[in-house]
Amino acid sequence: MGDTKAVDAVRSAVAALNAGDLDGYLGYFDPSCPRWADGLAQPLSLTDIADGLRQLHVAFDGLHLDEDLLFGDERFVCAHWRLRGLHVKEYLGFAPKGRSIDVATCEVYEISGDVVVTTWVHGDLGQLFQQIAAEGEEVT
């Protein structure tokens, strides 16, 4: 059984992100696409997501979203991701300590046509901050 067009679209979006093509990644999302995340009362807009990704891309070398699991049908796709990278520049007030990050999330995407129209993010959104703020010696 082959992947659906929706699964292929999500996988292609992430391939663009991993290649450093943030606009290519964002092109797979409807401009009005809300991103609902655990712990937030309001969804993030695509502009919020774009700004956040640009900041991550600058602050973390080798920023990469690894696919642990990805499946779906023509309307919904579910993915378990691991965001990895090396903290080399300031990120949201956190000075770089040369630490690697490994942040797990589960995302559900609603697809209409060839674009994502809604995203739900599940996981501990504080993982990233816990990892970059951890006490201990800086890695050089």
Side-chain angles (χ1 to χ4, degrees):
M1 179 185 329
D3 289 335
T4 66
K5 288 172 64 176
V7 168
D8 289 341
V10 169
R11 193 170 274 137
S12 294
V14 171
L17 177 70
N18 287 340
D21 181 5
L22 302 181
D23 291 330
Y25 170 78
L26 296 166
Y28 285 91
F29 293 80
D30 185 275
S32 65
C33 177
R35 181 173 228 139
W36 294 94
D38 288 347
L40 299 180
Q42 298 294 320
L44 299 170
S45 69
L46 193 59
T47 300
D48 296 331
I49 298 306
D51 291 345
L53 285 174
R54 282 176 176 58
Q55 291 174 34
L56 280 167
H57 194 331
V58 167
F60 294 88
D61 270 354
L63 190 69
H64 199 268
L65 197 57
D66 293 325
E67 175 186 322
D68 286 343
L69 180 66
L70 184 66
F71 63 92
D73 59 21
E74 291 300 323
R75 183 165 173 215
F76 292 100
V77 174
C78 182
H80 185 265
W81 303 115
R82 288 201 168 275
L83 180 67
R84 294 188 168 110
L86 182 67
H87 188 199
V88 296
K89 293 190 180 170
E90 184 176 317
Y91 179 69
L92 300 178
F94 290 91
K97 295 182 181 178
R99 291 197 174 110
S100 294
I101 58 164
D102 184 345
V103 178
T105 61
C106 179
E107 297 189 12
V108 177
Y109 304 89
E110 182 179 10
I111 311 291
S112 180
D114 293 335
V115 296
V116 176
V117 295
T118 308
T119 305
W120 296 268
V121 181
H122 303 282
D124 179 1
L125 299 179
Q127 289 178 83
L128 173 67
F129 300 107
Q130 291 168 356
Q131 291 176 28
I132 64 175
E135 294 299 320
E137 291 184 32
E138 292 186 23
V139 179
T140 56

